[in-house]
Amino acid sequence: MERHVERHLEILTAIEEGTPLTQRALAERLGVALGLANLYLKRLAGKGFIKVREFPTKPYAGKRLRYVLTPKGATEKARLTYEYMGHSLQLFRRTRGNLREALEPLTQNGMKRIALWGTGEAAELAYLTLKEFGLEPVGIFAGDGGGHFLGLAVRPVSELPVADVDGIVVATFEKPDRHLAELVRLGIPSHKLLTLRRLAAPASNGEGAGGRAPRKV
């Protein structure tokens, strides 16, 4: 599912909740610039999915706008939700299968010390796949660390280079290239990195700083 379609679904969902929603609040919710949020709203209104109403009464002083989902918009939201669920299920199945394929030769060679980089949905899926192989992550690493993920303490990424691990699952559904580059810069051998999706483009010699290309899941 393309990113703009996901945002359309997010906007329709937010409007359906019925809480008065400013463009600024919506932009913050989506994590986009105010102008882009305005563009999305105009596009949805132009298609007849939402209506814009003014309500100048207290406690909302001044001219304020309220966005209302139309029957056509409700139908579109249901369609996008169904499409998103199908896309997510397909993504999860493919990722799980690919990760299993990458982990199998490692476990056959007796390599069992696997760490997880990341704490999102991709990391949850990677964790469940590790459990299928009878493995427990030796550590969860993300950012500056802190907090817990699936009951395990999250450690800072700076500790990864000295961690005694056989492999590191870079758990993200996004393109992993920049994350891999950051980890390699920290001194982590590229052959220890396992990704959930293919890299945008392999290096010209097929090798990273560690002498071998990251395993592309």
Side-chain angles (χ1 to χ4, degrees), residues 16 43 58 111 114 135 142 144 172 175 199 202 217:
E16 189 180 46
R43 184 179 299 166
K58 293 182 179 180
M111 298 180 179
I114 308 297
L135 302 176
D144 296 325
T172 176
K175 292 182 180 180
L199 305 180
V217 180

Side-chain angles (χ1 to χ4, degrees), residues 47-180:
K47 292 182 177 181
F49 296 148
I50 64 175
K51 285 184 178 180
V52 184
R53 295 178 180 172
E54 295 182 12
F55 56 102
T57 57
K58 293 182 179 180
Y60 308 100
K63 180 180 178 181
R64 299 291 291 273
L65 302 178
R66 179 168 186 169
Y67 304 95
V68 180
L69 202 64
T70 65
K72 184 177 179 181
T75 301
E76 176 67 4
K77 177 183 173 296
R79 185 188 71 80
L80 291 179
T81 300
Y82 181 80
E83 181 180 331
Y84 180 77
M85 291 176 64
H87 169 78
S88 297
L89 183 59
Q90 182 183 36
L91 175 63
F92 282 16
R93 284 175 174 170
R94 184 177 68 247
T95 301
R96 176 175 171 271
N98 289 340
L99 186 54
R100 283 176 58 86
E101 184 179 341
L103 287 171
E104 189 169 7
L106 295 183
T107 56
Q108 289 178 348
N109 292 331
M111 298 180 179
K112 296 184 177 181
R113 296 185 59 80
I114 308 297
L116 281 181
W117 175 97
T119 56
E121 291 183 350
E124 292 179 1
L125 180 61
Y127 176 82
L128 293 175
T129 306
L130 288 175
K131 297 292 285 186
E132 291 179 7
F133 281 89
L135 302 176
E136 183 73 23
V138 298
I140 307 292
F141 299 83
D144 296 325
H148 289 77
F149 177 73
L150 299 177
L152 300 173
V154 180
R155 298 162 59 183
V157 174
S158 59
E159 294 183 5
L160 261 175
V162 295
D164 181 18
V165 297
D166 299 316
I168 302 166
V169 177
V170 183
T172 176
F173 291 134
E174 301 174 353
K175 292 182 180 180
D177 303 71
R178 65 184 181 89
H179 303 304
L180 295 175

